[in-house]
């Protein structure tokens, strides 16, 4: 939206990890040095702790990018919420060895043979487990047992446990003292300083192609630091919104008032412009007070959205405000078995128009979240627009909304939960509804027909607008755009998906070579996706269903794939 106006080639402050935007603060460099020191000295266990958004993943990705394949073999586990056996299977799969067994002893035996072979070749094997605070105690004990795989004079595998401060408390439990005692290298990431915050913002703008079309004022930068306390993720949220506010006001200087208004609008989406401007003035005044030290050591504002099931608070850009209507009837789990087909396109159109559009969209959102076992919206203020707010709230749940233009039948072939736009106009764009399962010629949708039944494919096709949004998760953090010849750790995940889909028969080496590009082209042709040698988001969405290490919901079944 604002990229052309300010002269950027792309958005500088996205939340999606992108290796080209990596900025290493002094703290990140120290963390990187500690990790490398522990690995090269074969200490066995290494711990990296950091609060949400401080850049743990940035440090880990930088590390993995430095571990060359001729000396190291590495694996990254991003979703450790699994049993001990499932974790072993994921580890073996990441290393490209036998992962089909259901028995832990067989999986460990395969892993041990692999480690011994790599040790004979002089290779250092590194296992990184991110978000390790989510591991159960018994799974951590399984990790400790893996570390027992060693020779008389050396550890066969180096294990990095990375997570939030809760990981420290977890490891202090009596039953995990043996593991805790084995951790020889520990490092705790801190947020960036004010000078580093300014350098971080400048760095991201330069990488995005900034040519002088916009500038942050000194006061604006100071307010960003006071509010975010140097946490990179929060900086991205505030800066992105500040640029959007400045674009709407046709300004090219991001002042303290602009930043204050951006903060306010993030906290209170949908409030009137006059109220936003008034509150921005108040916040700008508070900046002066903060600079005098009245608020030293704490942010100017705190805001939160409740993470379902945890009772904890998390800072974020797209918030769940406190009022007004609380919806009922949102799905709480996988869709029910299809009932008899009773709703025609005419009846469905009448039912949609009879209800509130925002309520309909929230029901659709919650139905899709239920398929992914993600937190629903319980309370919402403002419009749930598509794709805007819909995509942002999905992103908060680590899900991506990817557009597809074509026929309904073609969209359903992706076998992913899908949001279908209709030709039915509403208060803010056209009505949308979720398709959560398919049974021959009938579809289960949300909002669900008042009869409780399903609708025929042909009836939805009659009112469909031709644009569909696939909901998927990029577990491997594969970049949307990859240049030929590029080498990245994440490309290994792409190659693995292509191999599981039957289109890649070469080594998993993280090299976007001609063989990998050929496999991408062949897969795209098989799915009717426009040719794109740089991969593209639609190709990644189509490949995501082949991720056997995770439960991917299928339209063809009412429960997620095992």
């Amino acid at each position: 939206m604002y990229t052309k106006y300010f002269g950027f080639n792309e958005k500088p402050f996205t939340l999606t990890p992108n290796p080209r935007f990596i900025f290493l603060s002094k703290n990140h460099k120290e963390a990187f040095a500690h990790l490398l020191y522990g690995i090269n000295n074969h200490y066995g266990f290494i711990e990296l702790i950091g609060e949400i958004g401080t850049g743990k993943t940035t440090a880990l990705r930088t590390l993995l990018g430095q571990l060359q394949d001729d000396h190291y073999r590495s694996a990254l586990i991003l979703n450790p919420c699994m049993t001990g056996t499932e974790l072993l299977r994921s580890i073996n799969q990441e290393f490209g060895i036998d992962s089909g067994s259901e028995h832990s002893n067989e999986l460990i035996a395969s892993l041990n043979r692999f480690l011994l072979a790599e040790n004979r070749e002089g290779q250092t094997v590194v296992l990184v487990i991110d978000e390790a605070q989510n591991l159960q105690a018994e799974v951590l004990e399984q990790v400790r047992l893996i570390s027992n795989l060693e020779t008389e004079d050396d550890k066969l595998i180096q294990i990095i446990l990375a997570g939030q401060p809760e990981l420290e408390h977890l490891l202090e439990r009596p039953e995990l003292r043996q593991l805790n005692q084995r951790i020889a290298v520990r490092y705790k990431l801190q947020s960036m300083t004010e000078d580093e915050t300014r350098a971080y913002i400048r760095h991201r703008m330069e990488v995005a192609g900034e040519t002088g079309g916009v500038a942050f004022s000194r006061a604006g930068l100071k307010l960003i630091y006071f509010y975010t306390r140097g946490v990179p993720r929060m900086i991205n949220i505030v800066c992105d919104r500040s640029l959007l506010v400045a674009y709407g006001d046709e300004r090219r200087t991001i002042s303290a008032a602009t930043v204050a208004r951006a903060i306010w609008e993030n906290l209170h989406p949908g409030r009137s412009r006059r109220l936003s401007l008034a509150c921005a003035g108040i916040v700008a005044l508070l900046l002066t007070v903060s600079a005098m030290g009245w608020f030293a050591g704490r942010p100017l504002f705190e805001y939160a959205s409740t993470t379902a099931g945890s009772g904890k608070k998390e800072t974020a850009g797209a918030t769940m405000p406190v009022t007004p209507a609380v919806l009922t009837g949102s799905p709480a789990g996988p869709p029910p078995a299809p009932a008899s087909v009773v709703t025609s396109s005419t009846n469905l159109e009448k039912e949609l128009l009879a209800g509130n559009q925002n309520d309909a969209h929230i029901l659709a959102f919650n139905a899709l979240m239920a398929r992914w076992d993600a937190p629903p919206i319980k309370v919402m203020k403002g419009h749930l627009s598509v794709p805007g707010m819909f995509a942002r709230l999905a992103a908060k749940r680590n899900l991506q909304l990817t557009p597809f233009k074509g026929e309904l039948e073609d969209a359903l072939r992706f076998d992913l939960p899908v949001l279908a736009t209709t030709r039915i106009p509403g208060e803010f764009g056209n009505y949308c509804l979720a398709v959560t399962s398919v049974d021959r010629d009938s579809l289960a949708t949300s909002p669900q027909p008042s009869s409780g039944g399903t609708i025929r494919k042909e009836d939805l096709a009659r009112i469909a607008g031709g644009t569909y949004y696939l909901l998927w998760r990029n577990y491997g953090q594969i970049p949307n755009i990859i240049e030929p010849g590029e080498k990245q750790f994440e490309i290994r995940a792409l190659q693995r998906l292509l191999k599981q889909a039957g289109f890649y028969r070469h080594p998993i080496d993280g090299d976007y070579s001609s063989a990998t590009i050929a496999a991408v082209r062949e897969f795209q042709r098989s799915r009717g996706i426009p040719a794109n040698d740089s991969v593209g988001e639609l190709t990644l969405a189509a490949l995501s269903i082949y991720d056997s290490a995770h439960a991917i919901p299928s339209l063809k079944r009412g429960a997620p794939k095992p």
Side-chain angles (χ1 to χ4, degrees), residues 480 512 520-521 524 529-537 539:
N480 294 338
Y512 198 53
V520 169
R521 290 175 185 164
Q524 289 169 337
I529 298 172
N532 181 358
D533 286 355
S534 298
V535 186
E537 196 172 303
T539 301

Side-chain angles (χ1 to χ4, degrees), residues 242-552:
S242 297
L243 289 170
L244 185 61
V245 169
Y247 168 74
D249 291 344
E250 298 184 355
R251 298 179 183 274
R252 294 190 180 274
T253 298
I254 311 299
S255 64
T258 302
V259 173
R261 185 173 150 209
I263 293 170
W264 177 262
E265 290 184 359
N266 262 333
L267 294 171
H268 306 283
R271 292 288 175 92
S272 70
R273 175 182 171 85
R274 181 178 298 177
L275 181 58
S276 295
L277 288 172
C279 292
I282 295 172
V283 174
L285 178 62
L286 286 175
L287 168 63
T288 306
V289 178
S290 297
M292 295 168 60
W294 287 43
F295 287 92
R298 61 182 302 176
L300 292 177
F301 297 98
E302 294 179 353
Y303 62 103
S305 62
T306 301
T307 302
S310 68
K312 297 180 179 178
K313 293 182 178 179
E314 59 179 9
T315 52
T319 61
M320 299 298 104
V322 292
T323 53
V326 178
L327 294 177
T328 59
S330 299
S340 58
V341 178
V342 295
T343 304
S344 67
S345 58
T346 302
N347 291 336
L348 180 62
E349 181 173 352
K350 289 179 180 178
E351 289 192 13
L352 286 174
L353 289 172
N356 178 278
Q357 186 181 15
N358 207 49
D359 289 356
H361 284 187
I362 293 176
L363 285 170
F365 182 89
N366 286 349
L368 293 173
M369 293 306 108
R371 292 308 320 273
W372 280 99
D373 195 25
I377 295 173
K378 295 182 179 179
V379 181
M380 176 88 189
K381 179 186 174 181
H383 298 316
L384 183 52
S385 57
V386 177
M389 183 59 75
F390 212 102
R392 287 195 290 275
L393 293 180
K396 276 176 57 64
R397 292 152 173 82
N398 296 318
L399 291 165
Q400 292 185 232
L401 202 67
T402 296
F404 169 77
K405 293 184 181 295
E407 301 297 327
L408 172 63
E409 196 64 50
D410 295 328
L412 298 178
R413 287 196 188 102
F414 286 94
D415 196 22
L416 285 166
V418 62
L419 183 72
T421 61
T422 72
R423 295 194 301 271
I424 305 170
E427 181 184 355
F428 49 97
N430 290 352
Y431 277 83
C432 298
L433 71 163
V435 178
T436 54
S437 70
V438 178
D439 183 19
R440 297 181 181 176
D441 294 326
S442 63
L443 308 170
T445 65
S446 185
Q448 189 180 30
S450 59
S451 60
T454 60
I455 65 172
R456 288 182 290 264
K457 287 182 184 177
E458 61 188 69
D459 288 327
L460 178 56
R462 288 194 188 101
I463 63 171
T467 299
Y468 304 88
Y469 294 94
L470 307 173
L471 193 70
W472 62 290
R473 182 167 283 156
N474 190 353
Y475 282 108
Q477 299 296 308
I478 307 169
N480 294 338
I481 300 175
I482 308 176
E483 297 299 327
E486 195 170 340
K487 293 184 177 181
Q488 290 187 40
F489 182 84
E490 289 79 5
I491 295 174
R492 294 171 58 178
L494 170 65
Q495 293 170 328
R496 192 170 294 109
L497 290 177
L498 287 167
K499 178 169 283 190
Q500 290 170 348
F503 292 87
Y504 183 73
R505 301 165 187 85
H506 301 277
I508 306 294
D509 56 10
D511 185 356
Y512 198 53
S513 60
S514 57
T516 308
I517 294 172
V520 169
R521 290 175 185 164
E522 187 181 354
F523 177 78
Q524 289 169 337
R525 282 195 299 270
S526 73
R527 298 298 184 273
I529 298 172
N532 181 358
D533 286 355
S534 298
V535 186
E537 196 172 303
L538 188 59
T539 301
L540 294 181
L543 276 170
S544 68
I545 66 171
Y546 294 97
D547 189 345
S548 59
H550 300 95
I552 311 298

